[in-house]
Amino acid sequence: MNEPQEDYNAFNSWDNFGATLMMCSVPAVMNFVFTKEHDIFFSLVLAGIGLLVSLVVLVLSLVTRWRIIGAFVNLAGMVLTGLFWAYASYCWWIQEDTPAEPAATEQPAEQKA
């Protein structure tokens, strides 16, 4: 009767990895979407950094088994969600205010009479 209850909502090591990987992939996607040239190289660099951070969190979670890591990942997710929404809204708003470049139209060749 005195056994502590297990928290079924707590993150395990693989949950920490998945959540961190998703949080770290958002900047790469946002970089690709909101840059005019769709910068693939820098997006891949950001995705690689996110993968490395996620692997570090996974190894740390597997080795230490500290429950506090899941709490920090959860807290980081809540904070970053707000920041990502604010940044995406800002970028979307900036893109709407920027005038689009006029489409190149071909001038009809003068007809010789």
Side-chain angles (χ1 to χ4, degrees):
M1 296 286 277
N2 291 338
E3 294 178 19
Q5 276 191 319
E6 184 178 350
D7 184 9
Y8 292 110
N9 293 323
F11 281 8
N12 64 21
S13 300
W14 291 99
D15 292 333
N16 290 336
F17 171 70
T20 306
L21 186 62
M22 286 190 288
M23 285 187 290
C24 291
S25 65
V26 171
V29 172
M30 289 176 71
N31 179 63
F32 181 76
V33 169
F34 290 120
T35 55
K36 288 187 179 188
E37 298 83 28
H38 296 296
D39 189 8
I40 294 173
F41 176 74
F42 192 62
S43 295
L44 289 175
V45 168
L46 287 173
I49 291 170
L51 180 63
L52 287 176
V53 169
S54 300
L55 289 173
V56 167
V57 168
L58 175 65
V59 169
L60 187 63
S61 295
L62 286 173
V63 170
T64 62
R65 298 282 183 190
W66 292 340
R67 292 276 181 194
I68 193 77
I69 295 172
F72 280 132
V73 169
N74 197 359
L75 179 64
M78 289 188 292
V79 170
L80 287 176
T81 299
L83 292 175
F84 290 155
W85 270 101
Y87 182 70
S89 300
Y90 173 75
C91 289
W92 189 278
W93 182 59
I94 290 297
Q95 278 189 348
E96 295 225 347
D97 286 346
T98 306
E101 295 178 13
T105 57
E106 292 184 24
Q107 297 290 333
E110 292 182 22
Q111 296 180 356
K112 296 181 181 177

